[in-house]
Amino acid sequence: MNTMSWMRAALGAALLGLLGLLAACGGGSGDGNGGSGTLRVALTDNPACGYDEVVVTVNEVRVHTADAPDSDPGWRSIPVDPPQRVNLLDYTNGALLDLGQARVPAGTYTRLRLVLAANTGAQADRNWIVLSGNPGVRVPLKTPSGQPSGLKVQTSLAVQRNGLTDVVIDFDACRSVVVAGNSGQYLLKPVLRTLPRVETGVIGEVSLAAATAGASVSLQQNGEVRRATVADANGLFKLQPVEPGEYTLVVVTPGRATAAVRQLQVFSGQLVRAAPAGQRIDPPASGTAIFTGQVSLTPVPTELDATVALRQTLTAGDTLTLVERPVNAVTGEYAYTGNAVAAPQVAQHAAGNSLSFSADNAAAGHFTLRATTGGVSKTAGPLTAAASDTIDQDFVFP
């Protein structure tokens, strides 16, 4: 072998060795070089509003380590076999539906897609709602144009070699169903996020009267709802899974004062009681006001994707979101009824101690409205409302 041939052979061997070293150092990106683990997926729901059923059909869950196109081979599938037809309202109060599990390369997955069946042709009964007060009448849900590729969620799922990673998809039914003008059509624009599957959360009880009136219960941070549910027929509620942290527990009941429990600490691996067993949160009756208006956007979109939140701030500084829903996708209109104007009832949480509520009179009847579209928010207020008032508030973007 001449000198030039020897040098070429040596260089080739060095390059092969370097490639082998790089491959051995890999494995953190889900590319299969670091072994594999199991990813298990479940589904839960925040409470819906104004619906007796919100039904979707789930075909598949897909995950990727990066924001990649549909055709990228790095997408990993967790098949739902057979496809699951799910009434989301069956999965509140901590109830979970297991969708499936699969072995995937170890790594950190940052994109998740929930793939739903589309309402097409002879399969137009895969996704529907039943409006409250209209039992037995199914109204089809028009599904998004991007349905085949799935509904996208940013996440962070660390799958360890030979480990089990549990994730829960939180499907917010209330904010995911959008009215389309006066056409009688309803659009499915899913609002999703992922949570770790942990035995961490809050349990408690509201009065039977509040439960009958439709009390909703949420855990909030700085006015943002982190977990929500509706009390069951016995007044019991369970908010799980929840990430550890400090929250304000908010109980909103049509025709009753808002109740808030401040500085409720949620610890990892524990179900914290909002109040000692047997103590029911029982907010008093209240007069109510109506908030209504319209969101408009220039240029006018084919379908308006916007929400409006009704909020209230306690004297202690906590901001409470009382309701937040999508506006009409065609007209931009919104209307909230049954909103209590009496002073919020506020208690301080102390583990193991009974709750002692007192009226926050300075906050009575004072509200703000926040409209959000395209990641931009506008706030109106403070707005003052008394019993039987109707407050009209429009928002114009940009």
Side-chain angles (χ1 to χ4, degrees), residues 30 50 57 61 82 87 127 130 150 183 194 207 221 283 292 301-302 308 318 379:
T57 299
V61 178
N87 180 7
N127 310 288
V130 173
S183 64
T194 60
S207 67
Q221 293 175 320
T292 186
T302 303
V308 173
D318 307 57
T379 299

Side-chain angles (χ1 to χ4, degrees), residues 264-279:
L264 196 160
Q265 294 284 345
V266 176
F267 300 99
S268 179
Q270 296 183 21
L271 283 175
V272 178
R273 291 205 63 92
Q279 183 183 8

Side-chain angles (χ1 to χ4, degrees), residues 130-381:
V130 173
L131 298 169
S132 297
N134 201 16
V137 179
R138 294 180 179 178
V139 180
L141 278 172
K142 181 181 176 183
T143 48
S145 58
Q147 194 70 58
S149 64
L151 310 167
K152 303 173 185 178
V153 188
Q154 291 191 10
T155 187
S156 181
L157 307 174
V159 177
Q160 303 295 328
R161 182 176 182 179
N162 297 325
L164 172 64
T165 300
D166 264 318
V167 61
V168 176
I169 301 173
D170 184 9
F171 199 128
D172 191 335
C174 183
R175 294 174 59 195
S176 297
V177 178
V178 182
V179 182
N182 299 314
S183 64
Q185 287 190 335
Y186 289 79
L187 313 179
L188 180 63
K189 294 191 173 184
V191 177
L192 310 171
R193 68 184 184 120
T194 60
L195 296 165
R197 184 169 177 169
V198 290
E199 291 287 331
T200 300
V202 177
I203 55 176
E205 306 160 73
V206 301
S207 67
L208 295 179
T212 301
S216 65
V217 188
S218 63
L219 289 173
Q220 302 186 18
Q221 293 175 320
N222 300 318
E224 301 301 324
V225 176
R226 303 303 185 191
R227 197 78 185 91
T229 191
V230 288
D232 68 16
N234 296 314
L236 306 179
F237 63 84
K238 183 178 185 180
L239 294 154
Q240 180 201 355
V242 173
E243 295 170 332
E246 182 178 293
Y247 297 88
T248 302
L249 179 84
V250 183
V251 179
V252 177
T253 311
R256 289 177 171 265
T258 299
V261 180
R262 302 184 61 248
Q263 297 180 329
L264 196 160
Q265 294 284 345
V266 176
F267 300 99
S268 179
Q270 296 183 21
L271 283 175
V272 178
R273 291 205 63 92
Q279 183 183 8
R280 294 179 178 266
I281 299 173
D282 186 23
S286 169
T288 62
I290 297 172
F291 292 84
T292 186
Q294 184 179 37
V295 176
S296 57
L297 179 63
T298 303
V300 179
T302 303
E303 292 179 358
L304 180 60
D305 187 4
T307 63
V308 173
L310 177 64
R311 309 177 101 193
Q312 190 169 34
T313 300
L314 303 179
T315 301
D318 307 57
T319 297
L320 315 180
T321 292
L322 309 179
V323 59
E324 182 173 16
R325 297 177 191 167
V327 303
N328 189 300
V330 175
T331 67
E333 296 173 340
Y334 69 93
Y336 299 147
T337 62
N339 306 288
V341 297
Q345 301 293 304
V346 182
Q348 187 79 20
H349 186 262
N353 294 338
S354 297
L355 296 177
S356 178
F357 286 95
S358 60
D360 187 348
N361 293 311
H366 299 302
F367 305 90
T368 59
L369 286 163
R370 184 187 68 177
T372 303
T373 183
V376 177
S377 296
K378 290 189 175 184
T379 299

